[in-house]
Amino acid sequence: MTTIVFDTLTCTWTTPEEQTALLRLDGDLDHSCSAEFAELIATRLAATPGLRTLRLDCGALGRCDTSGLSALLMTRRHTEAAGVVLRLDNRGAALERLLGVTGTRYYLTGEAAADRERRDT
């Protein structure tokens, strides 16, 4: 387990399974740490060649501003280029709204809004 602390965000990287990494996000993914967050993802992907799935646990994620969203989009690009599946787990209402308003839900999660609503009922 590795913990990385940025200004407003703490990230904890674990590998619970051989080909799966879990990155827990605690705090705000915003302009103060978005560039460093994107760099962390790129570095970790390069250092973990057998990785097949990256799960971002967003359960303790507070605010995600447009810089944070940009970092998530960059994360998606990095994972796709590495052949790694990206999962956004435990998304709160604020993140769901941001993904819906910006039209990025399907790109980042692979699920349409209707799929999420059916699953949550």
Side-chain angles (χ1 to χ4, degrees), residues 62-118:
R63 191 170 64 91
C64 182
D65 67 7
T66 56
S67 295
L69 177 61
S70 177
L72 291 175
L73 293 169
M74 183 61 68
T75 296
R76 174 68 168 87
R77 284 185 222 115
H78 287 313
T79 56
E80 186 173 34
V84 174
V85 174
L86 176 65
R87 299 282 184 236
L88 299 182
D89 299 336
N90 304 314
R91 299 186 305 271
L95 182 56
E96 279 297 317
R97 272 191 306 280
L98 178 64
L99 298 179
V101 166
T102 59
T104 57
R105 178 181 291 112
Y106 184 77
Y107 179 71
L108 285 172
T109 68
E111 65 184 35
D115 295 340
R116 172 80 181 190
E117 289 170 14
R118 274 194 302 275

Side-chain angles (χ1 to χ4, degrees), residues 2-15:
T2 304
T3 300
I4 302 96
V5 179
F6 300 117
D7 287 342
T8 59
L9 183 69
T10 299
C11 299
T12 305
W13 179 278
T14 59
T15 50

